[in-house]
Amino acid sequence: MCGIGCCLSSSVDVANKWAESMKRALSSRGPDFLATSQVLAGHLKFSAAVLHLRGRDMARQPVCDAAGNVLLWNGEIFGGIAVEESESDTNVLAGLLRSAVTKSEVLSIIERADGPFGFIFWHSLTSTLFFGRDKFGRRSLLVNVQAADTAEFVLCSAAPESRTSSPVEWEEVRMGGIFTLSLRSAGEPGAAFR
């Protein structure tokens, strides 16, 4: 089972701290590959630990493309989207999402995936963060929103340590839903938090 996580903060320093905490929490979830990526000048960080189970070649995550899209996928596609035995479902899904231009196209692609999953997807063209879990909630995806001095939004499949001495409360993202966080109206990185 892969480990995935992302954090969005008005402070790049805070985002960096969350990213390091997520990497520590996720490192045991996937021993084959561990990496972090960023968009929005470092305000939005993505971390993933990969356990290679499917396909000939391992899908290194976060999967980033030339358009600035980022996919984190913890799951398996059993139907709805054609995945050959020799292919990675992560790479197949990333390829389909690469062609999506609108939010509704992204939703249509993800809704077709049948199987256990939790995912996070940054769609650069619409400045939208998509995230969710399958209808049975077979893959964990936790959410935490901090409203302290720096606004923070964190998603992770394994609860990372708090970046402060204050305890952090995590909740499972509701199963069977695809949720969005639009940053289009933010104007500049971090503006959505002011």
Side-chain angles (χ1 to χ4, degrees):
M1 183 181 326
C2 296
I4 60 173
C6 83
C7 63
L8 176 65
S9 177
S10 58
S11 164
V12 173
D13 289 338
V14 169
N16 287 335
K17 289 176 184 173
W18 271 117
E20 284 305 312
S21 183
M22 282 190 299
K23 280 176 68 174
R24 284 190 301 275
L26 297 174
S27 64
S28 64
R29 299 292 293 273
D32 297 319
F33 189 74
L34 178 66
T36 298
S37 184
Q38 67 182 25
V39 297
L40 298 179
H43 289 273
L44 181 55
K45 304 270 187 187
F46 301 90
S47 296
V50 177
L51 175 61
H52 180 212
L53 294 175
R54 189 169 182 186
R56 192 173 38 244
D57 300 319
M58 177 179 56
R60 295 175 182 255
Q61 294 191 58
V63 179
C64 306
D65 67 25
N69 299 318
V70 181
L71 174 64
L72 298 173
W73 178 259
N74 176 21
E76 298 174 83
I77 298 174
F78 297 140
I81 295 174
V83 180
E84 299 297 323
E85 188 175 319
S86 63
E87 294 178 307
S88 160
D89 46 8
T90 304
N91 288 336
V92 170
L93 184 61
L96 291 171
L97 290 169
R98 190 174 298 122
S99 66
V101 176
T102 66
K103 290 180 185 180
S104 61
E105 289 174 341
V106 171
L107 289 170
S108 175
I109 292 167
I110 295 170
E111 287 173 341
R112 289 175 23 210
D114 186 21
F117 65 83
F119 80 95
I120 302 167
F121 177 64
W122 170 252
H123 190 238
S124 182
L125 191 60
T126 60
S127 298
T128 303
L129 186 68
F130 294 82
F131 59 97
R133 300 168 62 210
D134 70 86
K135 60 187 171 190
F136 297 113
R138 294 171 284 189
R139 295 291 189 267
S140 180
L141 189 59
L142 305 168
V143 63
N144 174 258
V145 179
Q146 302 272 327
D149 55 338
T150 59
E152 303 161 35
F153 178 80
V154 184
L155 293 163
C156 200
S157 58
E161 299 169 6
S162 172
R163 66 170 187 83
T164 67
S165 59
S166 302
V168 175
E169 293 190 28
W170 295 93
E171 293 181 27
E172 281 281 2
V173 170
R174 193 175 70 219
M175 60 186 153
I178 298 173
F179 304 93
T180 63
L181 179 61
S182 178
L183 300 178
R184 171 69 73 191
S185 60
E188 62 181 85
F193 300 104
R194 295 188 187 122

